[in-house]
Amino acid sequence: MIKLFFLLIIMYFLSACTVVKPHISEYMINPVVTENKSIGSCKKHSLKVLQSFSDSSLMSTKMYYVLGDYERDAFTQSQWAESPNSAITNRILSMLQNSKIFSTVQVSKSRTQSDLFLETNIEDFAQYFSKDEKKSYVKVIITMTLLDTNTKKILASKTFEKRVDSKSIDAQGGVVALNSALVSILLESQKWMAGACK
């Protein structure tokens, strides 16, 4: 009986030392964009892609969603592997480097000089749920502005907007839809950028 008592005490203290944490799934923003073979009119220009502007919520790895018209909250068991702001900036950079539209494409921290700057404003990048939580869609709105480095004048500017329905009413469904919407916007911006130097 005494052995059982001590065994229970030991088990009690050992169980108090362990904290059960819920499993958190990490999701990536990883759109696959095909190469644009159209050289366009920017081939003679070098470009520097500046860090994107966005709401502070997109600078975090927390995965936010919008419920109804006004309520915003974060998923408790899902998060981004990289903040949307950084991920989208990196995907735009990668897309432009692979497309060969410009002679060179550099990151914002590069010490090299460039002919043009690309400013990006991520106005929306979120999953939306209906009030009854039976339907879900994502909305992505990104404005891109091409600037002359020397004069700081705007050469071209365009807002790209895409809405995609989620196939499942959960965070994973939202991630798939967000990646799909971002692919569409990157492809559209690729074509626009190819003719932006006219």
Side-chain angles (χ1 to χ4, degrees):
M1 190 69 172
I2 295 175
K3 288 182 181 180
L4 181 62
F5 176 74
F6 281 116
L7 185 62
L8 289 172
I9 290 175
I10 291 170
M11 287 178 65
Y12 172 78
F13 282 113
L14 287 176
S15 64
C17 295
T18 59
V19 178
V20 178
K21 291 184 179 180
H23 173 71
I24 296 177
S25 299
E26 285 195 346
Y27 293 99
M28 295 172 58
I29 298 170
N30 192 28
V32 179
V33 181
T34 55
E35 183 179 332
N36 184 353
K37 295 181 180 178
S38 173
I39 293 174
S41 58
C42 296
K43 190 64 179 174
K44 293 181 181 179
H45 298 281
S46 57
L47 178 74
K48 188 172 286 189
V49 178
L50 304 180
Q51 186 66 39
S52 297
F53 299 109
S54 72
D55 183 82
S56 59
S57 64
L58 297 176
M59 296 181 183
S60 165
T61 56
K62 283 186 177 180
M63 189 179 291
Y64 290 95
Y65 63 89
V66 179
L67 181 62
D69 296 326
Y70 308 108
E71 187 180 342
R72 186 176 77 171
D73 207 344
F75 288 104
T76 56
Q77 295 182 331
S78 302
Q79 67 180 30
W80 295 113
E82 179 183 13
S83 75
N85 182 292
S86 295
I88 292 170
T89 302
N90 291 336
R91 299 312 173 268
I92 291 170
L93 175 72
S94 177
M95 176 270 289
L96 289 170
Q97 287 174 333
N98 293 333
S99 68
K100 310 295 183 186
I101 295 171
F102 299 90
S103 59
T104 60
V105 179
Q106 301 295 332
V107 296
S108 59
K109 292 181 180 179
S110 172
R111 295 183 180 180
T112 59
Q113 291 187 337
S114 62
D115 303 318
L116 306 171
F117 285 145
L118 177 66
E119 282 188 354
T120 305
N121 184 25
I122 308 166
E123 297 170 35
D124 201 351
F125 189 83
Q127 183 175 8
Y128 289 77
F129 289 91
S130 59
K131 287 182 180 179
D132 59 9
E133 298 184 40
K134 291 183 178 180
K135 293 182 180 179
S136 171
Y137 68 91
V138 303
K139 189 162 57 172
V140 180
I141 305 174
I142 297 175
T143 297
M144 294 186 183
T145 304
L146 205 58
L147 300 164
D148 184 290
T149 305
N150 295 321
T151 65
K152 302 298 187 289
K153 287 185 178 179
I154 296 174
L155 300 178
S157 184
K158 188 170 182 180
T159 299
F160 303 90
E161 184 171 349
K162 192 73 178 176
R163 173 180 162 155
V164 176
D165 290 333
S166 303
K167 290 184 179 179
S168 60
I169 313 298
D170 56 9
Q172 186 173 3
V175 170
V176 172
L178 283 167
N179 273 285
S180 175
L182 187 57
V183 166
S184 297
I185 285 178
L186 290 177
L187 287 171
E188 285 180 34
S189 66
Q190 194 179 61
K191 291 177 182 178
W192 169 75
M193 207 86 66
C197 298
K198 292 180 181 178

